[in-house]
Amino acid sequence: MQLAALPPFVYVKTTERDPRVAPLAVKLSDGSNGSDGLIYVIEDSPAQSLKDLKGTRFCFTDVSSTTGYLLPRLALREAGIDPDRDLIAHLSGSHEKRAARPDGRRL
Protein backbone atom coordinates (compact mmCIF):
# COMPACT_ATOMS: atom_id res chain seq x y z
CA MET A 1 0.00 0.00 0.00
CA GLN A 2 1.36 3.41 -0.93
CA LEU A 3 -1.13 5.77 0.72
CA ALA A 4 -3.63 5.53 3.58
CA ALA A 5 -5.68 7.91 5.71
CA LEU A 6 -5.42 6.70 9.30
CA PRO A 7 -7.01 7.84 12.55
CA PRO A 8 -4.46 8.64 15.30
CA PHE A 9 -4.54 5.36 17.23
CA VAL A 10 -4.37 3.23 14.07
CA TYR A 11 -1.40 5.32 12.90
CA VAL A 12 0.45 4.62 16.16
CA LYS A 13 -0.26 0.88 15.93
CA THR A 14 0.79 0.85 12.25
CA THR A 15 4.13 2.56 12.94
CA GLU A 16 4.80 0.06 15.73
CA ARG A 17 4.52 -2.72 13.13
CA ASP A 18 6.32 -0.85 10.35
CA PRO A 19 8.51 2.12 11.35
CA ARG A 20 8.93 3.04 7.67
CA VAL A 21 5.39 4.49 7.68
CA ALA A 22 5.58 8.28 7.82
CA PRO A 23 2.91 10.99 7.63
CA LEU A 24 2.69 12.92 4.40
CA ALA A 25 0.09 15.36 5.73
CA VAL A 26 -1.88 15.95 8.95
CA LYS A 27 -5.51 17.00 9.01
CA LEU A 28 -6.18 20.29 10.77
CA SER A 29 -9.53 21.18 12.28
CA ASP A 30 -9.99 24.80 13.34
CA GLY A 31 -6.22 25.22 13.11
CA SER A 32 -5.43 22.29 15.42
CA ASN A 33 -4.26 18.75 14.73
CA GLY A 34 -5.52 17.57 18.14
CA SER A 35 -8.57 15.48 18.96
CA ASP A 36 -11.44 16.17 21.28
CA GLY A 37 -14.71 14.51 22.06
CA LEU A 38 -17.87 14.70 24.09
CA ILE A 39 -19.43 12.38 26.64
CA TYR A 40 -23.21 12.45 26.40
CA VAL A 41 -25.83 11.37 28.90
CA ILE A 42 -29.57 11.21 28.34
CA GLU A 43 -31.43 14.41 29.12
CA ASP A 44 -33.04 13.18 32.34
CA SER A 45 -29.85 11.56 33.68
CA PRO A 46 -28.91 12.42 37.27
CA ALA A 47 -25.24 12.53 36.16
CA GLN A 48 -23.89 16.07 36.33
CA SER A 49 -20.18 15.24 36.23
CA LEU A 50 -17.91 12.39 35.19
CA LYS A 51 -17.72 11.22 38.81
CA ASP A 52 -21.49 10.62 38.71
CA LEU A 53 -20.99 7.96 36.01
CA LYS A 54 -19.42 5.46 38.42
CA GLY A 55 -21.43 2.23 38.40
CA THR A 56 -23.37 3.12 35.26
CA ARG A 57 -23.53 1.55 31.82
CA PHE A 58 -21.08 3.34 29.48
CA CYS A 59 -20.87 2.88 25.73
CA PHE A 60 -17.50 3.17 24.01
CA THR A 61 -17.17 2.87 20.24
CA ASP A 62 -14.24 0.58 19.46
CA VAL A 63 -10.95 -0.15 21.21
CA SER A 64 -9.12 1.29 18.16
CA SER A 65 -10.86 4.67 18.42
CA THR A 66 -9.02 7.64 19.87
CA THR A 67 -12.10 9.78 20.55
CA GLY A 68 -14.51 6.92 21.20
CA TYR A 69 -12.33 4.82 23.51
CA LEU A 70 -8.90 6.13 24.51
CA LEU A 71 -9.78 9.75 25.35
CA PRO A 72 -12.97 8.89 27.29
CA ARG A 73 -11.04 6.29 29.31
CA LEU A 74 -8.38 8.89 30.12
CA ALA A 75 -11.01 11.45 31.17
CA LEU A 76 -12.75 8.89 33.37
CA ARG A 77 -9.47 7.88 35.03
CA GLU A 78 -8.65 11.53 35.68
CA ALA A 79 -12.07 11.81 37.38
CA GLY A 80 -11.20 8.86 39.65
CA ILE A 81 -13.16 6.21 37.75
CA ASP A 82 -11.50 2.97 36.66
CA PRO A 83 -13.30 2.14 33.38
CA ASP A 84 -12.52 -1.56 33.80
CA ARG A 85 -13.89 -1.84 37.35
CA ASP A 86 -16.27 1.05 37.92
CA LEU A 87 -18.40 0.94 34.75
CA ILE A 88 -20.58 -1.53 32.92
CA ALA A 89 -18.78 -1.04 29.62
CA HIS A 90 -20.22 -1.77 26.20
CA LEU A 91 -18.64 -1.44 22.74
CA SER A 92 -20.97 -0.20 20.00
CA GLY A 93 -18.59 -0.81 17.10
CA SER A 94 -18.92 2.69 15.61
CA HIS A 95 -19.53 6.33 16.49
CA GLU A 96 -22.90 6.24 14.71
CA LYS A 97 -24.10 3.21 16.65
CA ARG A 98 -22.92 4.72 19.93
CA ALA A 99 -25.44 7.55 19.52
CA ALA A 100 -28.35 5.07 19.50
CA ARG A 101 -30.03 4.15 22.76
CA PRO A 102 -31.19 0.59 23.53
CA ASP A 103 -34.81 1.78 23.28
CA GLY A 104 -34.15 2.96 19.70
CA ARG A 105 -34.15 6.69 20.48
CA ARG A 106 -31.06 8.73 19.71
CA LEU A 107 -29.16 10.73 22.32
Side-chain angles (χ1 to χ4, degrees):
M1 182 182 317
Q2 296 295 322
L3 181 65
L6 304 174
F9 184 65
V10 176
Y11 169 75
V12 169
K13 291 306 227 179
T14 301
T15 58
E16 286 175 354
R17 286 193 306 268
D18 187 348
R20 297 173 301 160
V21 173
L24 177 65
V26 176
K27 178 183 173 184
L28 296 179
S29 179
D30 294 328
S32 172
N33 65 354
S35 292
D36 62 357
L38 300 171
I39 295 176
Y40 292 98
V41 296
I42 57 175
E43 188 174 45
D44 57 353
S45 171
Q48 298 295 308
S49 73
L50 289 178
K51 291 179 182 179
D52 297 334
L53 296 175
K54 189 171 186 172
T56 65
R57 184 176 170 93
F58 193 96
C59 187
F60 296 98
T61 57
D62 182 277
V63 295
S64 295
S65 173
T66 302
T67 56
Y69 188 75
L70 297 176
L71 292 179
R73 288 176 63 84
L74 176 62
L76 290 161
R77 285 188 187 281
E78 288 174 348
I81 295 175
D82 181 334
D84 299 317
R85 283 193 346 243
D86 299 333
L87 299 174
I88 304 163
H90 170 75
L91 292 172
S92 69
S94 74
H95 289 272
E96 294 78 18
K97 289 180 184 174
R98 182 182 61 180
R101 291 178 33 166
D103 61 9
R105 298 184 328 197
R106 293 185 60 82
L107 290 174

